[in-house]
Amino acid sequence: MALSTTLTVNGVRQTIQLDDPRVTLLDLLRERLNLTGTKKGCDRGQCGACTVIVDGRRINSCLALAISHDGADVLTIEGVAQGPRLHPVQEALIAHDGLQCGFCTPGQIMSAIGLIDEGHAGDDPERVREGMSGNLCRCGAYRGITEAVLEAQRTIAASARKEVA
Ligand code: FES
Ligand code: FES
């Protein structure tokens, strides 16, 4: 039986043939679409390295079957910057030294974008830490990551206010 899934990935709609219904969204992104920015850490939902945004919600792509997201809109780290213009979360991570080896960074960025979009980031570091607790960093860059999320949230909120005014 021929299987396929149609996804819009970073704005590009495409239909991908699957030879196995058990292929995860993570493997499809990395191995079929060559979008290797999304990392495979634990492959069992425990580290957050594989975080992507599907239909506006952050998920662990290692736990998601590609076929069960037929028709979905997927945002990966490759789709976050607008050409040479970095996303406010990316800029803030650099400014606050929120990374060392960088392996967890794509997942941290996607999770932070999701958290801010959900409106749950607030201005409380504890709340940010809790909201980002599914994303582990073996280098222990948590302090910079938390500061970066708070700053990005302020930047995004300020630019939203400007647009409304
Ligand atoms: S690789 Fe998906 S949570 Fe670790
Ligand atoms: S920066 Fe190395 S794992 Fe987070």
Side-chain angles (χ1 to χ4, degrees), residues 26 39-51 60-63 134:
L26 174 62
K39 300 303 180 205
K40 184 184 277 194
C42 63
D43 208 18
R44 55 179 63 185
Q46 291 177 350
C47 73
C50 64
T51 306
N60 289 333
S61 58
C62 69
L63 295 183

Side-chain angles (χ1 to χ4, degrees), residues 47-78:
C47 73
C50 64
T51 306
V52 297
I53 296 180
V54 175
D55 292 333
R57 298 188 62 80
R58 52 195 170 136
I59 66 164
N60 289 333
S61 58
C62 69
L63 295 183
L65 291 179
I67 202 158
S68 66
H69 289 283
D70 190 40
D73 199 73
V74 182
L75 179 68
T76 74
I77 188 67
E78 289 87 351

